[in-house]
Amino acid sequence: MCGIVGYVGNQQAAPILLEGLSKLEYRGYDSAGLSVRDTDVDMKIVKAKGRLKILAEKTNDGQALEGTCGIGHTRWATHGEPSKQNSHPHCSDDKNVVAVHNGIIENYQELKAKLQRKGYSFYSQTDTEVAVKLIDYYYKKYLGTPIDAINNAMVRIRGSYALAIMFKDYPEEIYVARKDSPMIIGVENGESFVASDVPAILKYTRNVYYIGNMEIGLQIPLQLNAHSANG
Ligand code: GLU
């Protein structure tokens, strides 16, 4: 289990995500990736096998990826070899849902078979891609909110997860959910952070909320000088 960092605010997200991920490097990892978006623009995804430095070089230290909302990940492979293809973020084929995940989806084969029967295909060997496409499936099936879709997926998923998820229809919003895998939200001066561990966001805030087990959270940019964390 490795690292997750997310950011929504008025600064460029990618440099903050890279910096946050670098603070989680001590946990070990085999690949890394980012997804960043602007209000009305598609989510861009950049991934690299190997050191974070390679991802930083590929994105000119994050400068090449424009957007004020994004998620980043360092992966410790459990399902599928370390490769660019298997590294996170993972997405539905139309990029309706893009997410990063720490943990292990125990019943991913069963869920994958179900999704294949519904017409989904898979580009990676990961359990994570299955979780992402399961959320996409419920989002489209019930035409509900992201929270409904995540909730429906959580009911079916067995295993451990910390998930940070972006939906195409909801710019400037990052949804988070966790079970038996740590995740925190931090807020400071209108900016909102998410991370799998405190060191990733310590430079930016000490105003931290520990997401509860089986809890779903929504990260949005806050009013300047907001005083409370939002869950
Ligand atoms: N099980 C997922 C994978 O193999 C996530 C691993 C992690 O926590 O980094 O891609």
Side-chain angles (χ1 to χ4, degrees):
M1 280 179 220
C2 258
I4 289 178
V5 183
Y7 173 82
V8 191
N10 49 13
Q11 298 186 61
Q12 289 299 302
I16 293 173
L17 299 176
L18 285 170
E19 156 112 40
L21 289 176
S22 75
K23 299 286 188 295
L24 301 177
E25 276 193 296
Y26 71 92
R27 293 160 68 112
Y29 63 100
D30 53 60
S31 52
L34 302 176
S35 179
V36 170
R37 74 183 300 183
D38 257 332
T39 319
D40 51 356
V41 181
D42 264 3
M43 295 177 250
K44 299 171 277 285
I45 299 177
V46 184
K47 316 185 197 194
K49 183 182 165 188
R51 311 301 300 168
L52 204 51
K53 198 168 142 261
I54 302 170
L55 189 65
E57 278 164 14
K58 253 183 145 170
T59 59
N60 188 20
D61 287 327
Q63 314 284 348
L65 269 184
E66 276 186 35
T68 54
C69 175
I71 51 180
H73 187 260
T74 44
R75 175 177 188 238
W76 186 292
T78 63
H79 292 65
E81 56 173 8
S83 68
K84 186 178 164 195
Q85 188 87 326
N86 285 334
S87 57
H88 305 208
H90 285 289
C91 62
S92 57
D93 293 348
D94 55 3
K95 286 203 192 153
N96 179 46
V97 180
V98 177
V100 291
H101 164 228
N102 281 165
I104 291 175
I105 313 291
E106 283 162 14
N107 59 337
Y108 83 104
Q109 272 169 321
E110 181 191 309
L111 296 171
K112 188 172 187 173
K114 171 192 161 89
L115 289 168
Q116 279 166 332
R117 286 196 297 276
K118 303 286 179 193
Y120 280 83
S121 57
F122 292 84
Y123 60 81
S124 80
Q125 303 157 308
T126 62
D127 50 342
T128 304
E129 188 189 353
V130 176
V132 171
K133 290 186 171 170
L134 190 68
I135 294 168
D136 180 66
Y137 169 71
Y138 286 118
Y139 184 69
K140 287 172 179 158
K141 182 175 179 188
Y142 296 120
L143 301 173
T145 63
I147 300 277
D148 296 330
I150 295 165
N151 194 32
N152 274 309
M154 280 171 83
V155 169
R156 271 114 190 145
I157 288 171
R158 283 202 309 273
S160 61
Y161 50 84
L163 285 162
I165 313 157
M166 297 195 291
F167 289 77
K168 191 189 233 161
D169 301 337
Y170 293 81
E172 297 197 298
E173 294 187 4
I174 298 173
Y175 291 80
V176 292
R178 68 165 283 259
K179 176 175 174 273
D180 301 335
S181 216
M183 186 115 90
I184 56 168
I185 286 179
V187 287
E188 196 74 43
N189 291 330
E191 299 174 295
S192 181
F193 303 84
V194 64
S196 52
D197 202 1
V198 177
I201 59 174
L202 205 52
K203 179 177 163 191
Y204 304 101
T205 183
R206 280 165 194 255
N207 189 12
V208 164
Y209 173 78
Y210 286 79
I211 302 167
N213 217 28
M214 300 294 286
E215 198 167 38
I216 299 176
L218 167 59
Q219 246 194 309
I220 50 173
L222 303 168
Q223 295 292 314
L224 269 183
N225 302 321
H227 293 295
S228 61
N230 71 311

